[in-house]
Amino acid sequence: MVTALAACGGENGAGGSQPDDGKITLGFAQVGAESGWRTANTKSIQDSAKAAGIDLQFSDAQQKQENQIKAIRSYITQKVDVIAFSPVVESGWDTVLKEAKDAKIPVILTDRAIDSPDTTLYKTFIGSDFVLEGKKAGEWLVGEYQGKPEPVNIVELQGTTGSAPANDRKSGFADVIKADPKFKIVASQTGEFTRAKGKEVMDAFLKANKDIDVLYAHNDDMGLGAIEAIEGAGLKPGVDIKIITVDAVKDGMQALADGKINYIVECSPLLGPQLMELVEKVVAGESVPERVLTEETAFNQEQAKAALPNRQY
């Protein structure tokens, strides 16, 4: 059983052609470089391909589905051995993946799922359980306010609209808090997984809502942007407004250790070594599991202080 570490978000272009040197060629279509998480994910994939002697054709979609589809079609034309990609959104992949299947090029989904009912379009999916991540965030919140009957007003910074992590982190969180009517999401909007957009949307939340108790951000970067907005409004992040985020990248963990974030659910980006292992197995015709889940943890402020010195990303 292959195990993997995955998320929970480069270099240019998918140009060139497959070298005829016996090496495995992997075409990888990345979402973009929207966050510290994604940068670490890209580096893990690039470093692991080099270490494994795999020729990596890499493209950065800049968070646009049409760019990923174009890159995948380019990889099909190049006749790469394997295509892997982290889908920008869940829907709209069937046509291009059928083209890859017809060309007999196996596909591996990384980090994010697609919603196609045809599971023969890809060999395996390496990824975190985003619903579980949302549930962990909700469970911490329920525990934090246990025995306190007053209403808890929550604002939510969602990830990219239509993406698997945004959909699942939202539903997992909502599932846990719905049992207690004191928890109320008063505003929920996409921050596109970026720090700049997180700040912009949090600014708007603060202007529109006089009483915000909790911020739930679908990734650290949006949470870090929101901290700037909260401080700009003369409030103390982590105290006046409790903050829960997902990822556990170094910047987020530092803010957690500093008391500006209250809780982070981990989503590891270091899936490169396990992805290369899967690529080699698929090319060799070996069977691989349909779903590869990663085990991840969560951090409070004290745990972040302990973990930071050895944090790789």
Side-chain angles (χ1 to χ4, degrees):
M1 184 77 171
V2 180
T3 57
L5 291 171
C8 282
E11 297 164 3
N12 290 329
S17 58
Q18 182 184 350
D20 188 21
D21 57 5
K23 285 172 78 174
I24 294 171
T25 301
L26 168 65
F28 189 88
Q30 182 60 285
V31 173
E34 75 281 3
S35 63
W37 190 99
R38 191 64 56 190
T39 303
N41 178 241
T42 290
K43 187 174 187 304
S44 175
I45 288 160
Q46 290 170 334
D47 291 351
S48 300
K50 189 174 180 183
I54 289 172
D55 178 50
L56 179 67
Q57 300 294 311
F58 185 92
S59 67
D60 179 339
Q62 299 175 322
Q63 290 191 280
K64 293 178 181 171
Q65 183 177 31
E66 59 268 30
N67 290 346
Q68 277 195 316
I69 290 171
K70 188 194 280 187
I72 291 166
R73 288 200 166 117
S74 171
Y75 297 147
I76 294 168
T77 303
Q78 291 176 56
K79 299 183 171 147
V80 300
D81 296 301
V82 180
I83 292 169
F85 75 112
S86 181
V88 175
V89 293
E90 288 188 291
S91 302
W93 300 103
D94 287 46
T95 301
V96 72
L97 294 188
K98 277 174 186 162
E99 291 168 23
K101 187 179 176 183
D102 291 344
K104 296 184 168 48
I105 299 173
V107 171
I108 297 173
L109 303 179
T110 71
D111 169 39
R112 300 179 177 184
I114 61 173
D115 63 7
S116 173
D118 185 358
T119 56
T120 68
L121 295 176
Y122 54 93
K123 288 286 184 187
T124 185
F125 163 45
I126 305 174
S128 298
D129 186 335
F130 298 133
V131 174
L132 181 60
E133 289 170 357
K135 285 183 174 177
K136 284 180 183 176
E139 284 161 2
W140 179 84
L141 186 64
V142 168
E144 184 70 6
Y145 285 90
Q146 195 167 12
K148 298 174 185 173
E150 299 85 6
V152 180
N153 292 330
I154 305 160
V155 293
E156 180 180 32
L157 282 168
Q158 298 179 43
T160 306
T161 304
S163 69
N167 292 344
D168 293 352
R169 285 172 188 163
K170 181 176 179 62
S171 69
F173 183 76
D175 217 34
V176 171
I177 66 167
K178 73 182 179 186
D180 191 335
K182 77 181 175 194
F183 294 112
K184 188 182 178 190
I185 297 176
V186 295
S188 184
Q189 192 178 318
T190 181
E192 297 171 5
F193 282 130
T194 70
R195 200 171 297 200
K197 193 71 175 177
K199 180 180 185 299
E200 179 190 318
V201 177
M202 191 68 199
D203 271 328
F205 284 166
L206 288 162
K207 283 171 187 154
N209 301 276
K210 298 280 183 228
D211 185 16
I212 298 171
D213 300 301
V214 176
L215 162 66
Y216 169 44
H218 289 188
N219 80 340
D220 291 345
D221 278 76
M222 291 189 295
L224 292 163
I227 285 170
E228 293 177 41
I230 292 165
E231 290 177 332
L235 297 168
K236 198 168 180 186
V239 178
D240 296 324
I241 297 175
K242 293 190 187 296
I243 300 174
I244 311 163
T245 65
V246 182
D247 272 355
V249 296
K250 239 178 199 168
D251 286 357
M253 292 284 278
Q254 188 62 60
L256 180 60
D258 293 342
K260 294 185 179 185
I261 293 175
N262 302 81
Y263 195 68
I264 297 181
V265 179
E266 185 181 37
C267 184
S268 172
L270 307 180
L271 59 77
Q274 290 80 9
L275 173 60
M276 299 313 146
E277 187 180 340
L278 283 174
V279 166
E280 289 169 344
K281 284 178 179 287
V282 165
V283 169
E286 295 177 34
S287 64
V288 293
E290 290 177 11
R291 179 76 167 96
V292 180
L293 264 179
T294 177
E295 287 184 19
E296 289 152 342
T297 185
F299 299 90
N300 61 26
Q301 291 169 345
E302 290 308 311
Q303 289 164 333
K305 287 175 191 172
L308 259 174
N310 301 312
R311 206 76 185 146
Q312 290 181 58
Y313 56 91

